[in-house]
Each structure stands twice: as C-alpha cells, then as structure tokens.
Amino acid sequence: MDYKLSKTEMFLEIVLIAAIVVGFVLIGWITIVDMSEDRQRTETKARCKTIGGETGYLKCYKDGREI
C-alpha cells in the first residue's frame, strides 16, 4: 500500500512537530530559569545568615536596615 500525504496534510504534520519541539524547548527554558532563581535565593539566604541578618525580597536585612 502506497500512502502519500497531500501538501496540506504535510504542512499540518510539520506545524505539529514544530509546536511539539517549541513546547519542549519552552519547558526546558522555564525549568532552567526557575533553578537559577532558586539558586540565587539560596545563596542570598546563606550569605545573609553568615552575617546574622534576615532575608526578604532577595535582599539581606539586619536590625531593620538593608545590608
């Protein structure tokens, strides 16, 4: 059996594959960005804790003042 796609069907297949690839790339990018923000938050908290401060809004505060 010889099955051939019409030009419209082939275009739709290509669009579907492209959408899937873009979706995977977007998910990967969002994951990397989220990991970066978590790492930054963790590093800020650790640095602030070593000098005896409190973290808030990704900044370090000690005695009510930003340091």
Side-chain angles (χ1 to χ4, degrees):
M1 190 189 233
D2 194 19
Y3 181 74
K4 291 186 177 182
L5 294 174
S6 70
K7 287 183 179 182
T8 304
E9 290 172 330
M10 191 179 305
F11 176 74
L12 290 175
E13 290 280 329
I14 291 170
V15 168
L16 179 63
I17 291 170
I20 290 171
V21 169
V22 167
F24 279 120
V25 168
L26 185 61
I27 289 170
W29 181 73
I30 289 171
T31 302
I32 290 171
V33 167
D34 188 47
M35 287 172 46
S36 174
E37 288 177 1
D38 284 345
R39 183 176 179 179
Q40 182 181 8
R41 197 173 297 120
T42 303
E43 288 176 355
T44 301
K45 188 174 182 179
R47 266 187 270 129
C48 192
K49 196 172 190 177
T50 59
I51 59 172
E54 295 283 329
T55 54
Y57 305 107
L58 290 178
K59 295 182 179 179
C60 185
Y61 297 94
K62 187 172 182 179
D63 298 327
R65 293 172 37 191
E66 183 181 341
I67 52 173

